[in-house]
Amino acid sequence: LVLEWSEPEMDITQSSTAMTTPDGKIVAYMILRDNNVTPVRTWVQWGIHPDYLQHKLNEILFTWLESRQQNLIERCPADARIVLQCGVLSGYEPEEQTLNQADFQKFRNSYQMRIDMDTKPPTPQFPEGISARAYNPDTDIEGLVTAFRNSFSDHFGYVEEPFEKDVEEFRHWFATDKLFDPQYVVLAVDDASGVVAGYAIGMKEEHGDPSVSHIELLGVSRAYRRRGIAQAMLYQCFNIFWDNGYKS
């Protein structure tokens, strides 16, 4: 979270609010991740300590959010459809009830998937003309970002930002996330053109669980899909994890 809150153009002092006890303990907070150039789809992060749910702090938080909405509207095109979105653990009733009362609607589920490997993963089989290689931080950042933008451009909720901003945010992420290691990143490259056709960004550990590795992003550009590249990159990552002592 700290990594997200320190993203380029993110001013946490202006885009957050918190409530504390007299001794300074934070018991509720809300953060509006409004650092996009055109914030038509903005994430809201918030939480209330379970011991303070009876104080109805949620009403104060969402009143603050309403006060910030005008700023978002002014930064967007006049005909834009502006959406605020946030996530909540399914079944956690206090937060689900609060969001319902604030007129949020549930529209999408996300799942965390896990594989536990008892034997060495299969050898990846890349299609003819496509080769896998490690990520080079000095030369590959723009090719990786180009592939990311292409692969996610038709993903749910994608909003295109300036290319330079995406590059800046990737640099920030790679430079500040202590779990990022270039050796866990796999690029699938077109042998003829040198274009990055796909990528799998692995992390040496899952945040909060050092016993497992984690794949943060996986994508294949449109022109290279349906050729088995994504599966091959997954197996490549799994083998890297395995060779470094991670079986999950």
Side-chain angles (χ1 to χ4, degrees):
L1 290 178
V2 173
L3 186 151
E4 295 176 350
W5 300 342
S6 60
E7 286 180 349
E9 309 303 324
M10 179 68 185
D11 186 351
I12 193 68
T13 64
Q14 299 297 316
S15 299
S16 67
T17 188
M19 283 168 276
T20 66
T21 59
D23 60 356
K25 176 183 177 180
I26 295 178
V27 296
Y29 76 97
M30 180 171 280
I31 295 172
L32 192 63
R33 292 187 59 198
D34 58 354
N35 59 319
N36 283 349
V37 173
T38 307
V40 294
R41 183 175 294 274
T42 301
W43 270 93
V44 181
Q45 297 171 331
W46 65 286
I48 301 174
H49 193 289
D51 292 345
Y52 293 83
L53 292 174
Q54 73 276 14
H55 294 291
K56 296 184 177 181
L57 302 180
N58 56 304
E59 296 180 2
I60 301 174
L61 291 177
F62 281 87
T63 297
W64 174 84
L65 181 61
E66 290 180 4
S67 72
R68 294 283 303 177
Q69 292 178 11
Q70 185 60 36
N71 175 264
L72 298 179
I73 294 172
E74 293 172 353
R75 292 165 55 193
C76 294
D79 59 346
R81 180 173 181 265
I82 303 172
V83 177
L84 295 178
Q85 61 184 44
C86 62
V88 58
L89 283 175
S90 180
Y92 185 49
E93 186 175 345
E95 287 193 352
E96 288 187 345
Q97 184 177 7
T98 293
L99 291 174
N100 287 331
Q101 292 173 346
D103 293 329
F104 279 73
Q105 296 180 350
K106 182 178 179 180
F107 63 94
R108 186 172 175 85
N109 293 316
S110 299
Y111 298 89
Q112 185 168 8
M113 304 174 71
R114 173 168 172 155
I115 183 169
D116 297 308
M117 301 178 288
D118 297 324
T119 58
K120 186 174 176 61
T123 300
Q125 300 294 324
F126 285 86
E128 183 177 355
I130 301 293
S131 299
R133 65 171 171 81
Y135 170 74
N136 184 329
D138 296 325
T139 60
D140 287 331
I141 183 70
E142 292 191 358
L144 171 59
V145 171
T146 298
F148 162 76
R149 288 162 63 91
N150 186 289
S151 64
F152 270 84
S153 61
D154 52 0
H155 186 270
F156 176 85
Y158 178 80
V159 178
E160 184 174 290
E161 289 283 284
F163 180 79
E164 295 76 13
K165 184 175 187 298
D166 282 346
V167 170
E168 187 180 14
E169 290 195 353
F170 268 78
R171 289 191 193 279
H172 167 75
W173 170 28
F174 292 165
T176 57
D177 193 328
K178 65 180 181 180
L179 299 184
F180 173 76
D181 188 327
Q183 72 167 314
Y184 291 86
V185 179
V186 175
L187 299 182
V189 180
D190 187 317
D191 295 335
S193 65
V195 169
V196 177
Y199 55 89
I201 301 180
M203 312 290 283
K204 58 185 177 181
E205 295 177 9
E206 163 75 331
H207 286 279
D209 187 352
S211 67
V212 302
S213 286
H214 175 70
I215 295 178
E216 180 72 21
L217 282 173
L218 174 72
V220 177
S221 295
R222 286 193 198 95
Y224 296 92
R225 290 177 183 167
R226 304 299 181 184
R227 296 172 59 185
I229 295 175
Q231 183 183 65
M233 290 191 300
L234 280 178
Y235 285 155
Q236 186 88 348
C237 273
F238 291 169
N239 275 277
I240 294 172
F241 296 158
W242 179 275
D243 292 343
N244 282 276
Y246 295 96
K247 305 300 188 291
S248 300

